[in-house]
Amino acid sequence: MPISEARRRANDKYNAKAYDQIQFRVKKGRKAELQAHAAAQGESLNAFLLRAIEETMCRDSAGKP
């Protein structure tokens, strides 16, 4: 069953209030590679990217006094 226009507007309103968006660009073909890797880890592409960012930030912070 398709989503109603009212539900789509409600979702858009909530998402605008609750989330920031970051646009991420990769070379053609790389997206499929990233999606496949994320799926192999049992996560969505978004979850994989967030985990990669968090792990990198922790690693970067650990090396600083």
Side-chain angles (χ1 to χ4, degrees), residues 17-36:
K17 181 175 67 169
Y19 298 103
D20 287 328
Q21 288 188 324
I22 299 173
Q23 191 168 9
F24 189 76
R25 295 175 199 249
V26 295
K27 297 251 182 190
K28 288 279 187 188
R30 187 85 165 127
K31 179 181 176 184
E33 180 185 356
L34 294 170
Q35 286 174 318

Side-chain angles (χ1 to χ4, degrees), residues 1-62:
M1 174 157 80
I3 190 168
S4 72
E5 183 62 24
R7 171 51 41 206
R8 187 193 60 75
R9 282 194 312 271
N11 288 351
D12 289 347
K13 183 178 178 182
Y14 174 79
N15 288 337
K17 181 175 67 169
Y19 298 103
D20 287 328
Q21 288 188 324
I22 299 173
Q23 191 168 9
F24 189 76
R25 295 175 199 249
V26 295
K27 297 251 182 190
K28 288 279 187 188
R30 187 85 165 127
K31 179 181 176 184
E33 180 185 356
L34 294 170
Q35 286 174 318
H37 181 81
Q41 303 305 308
E43 18 183 38
S44 67
L45 180 56
N46 190 66
F48 167 67
L49 292 172
L50 289 172
R51 183 172 60 83
I53 290 167
E54 286 296 322
E55 288 178 7
T56 300
M57 289 174 68
C58 287
R59 205 171 38 246
D60 289 350
S61 295

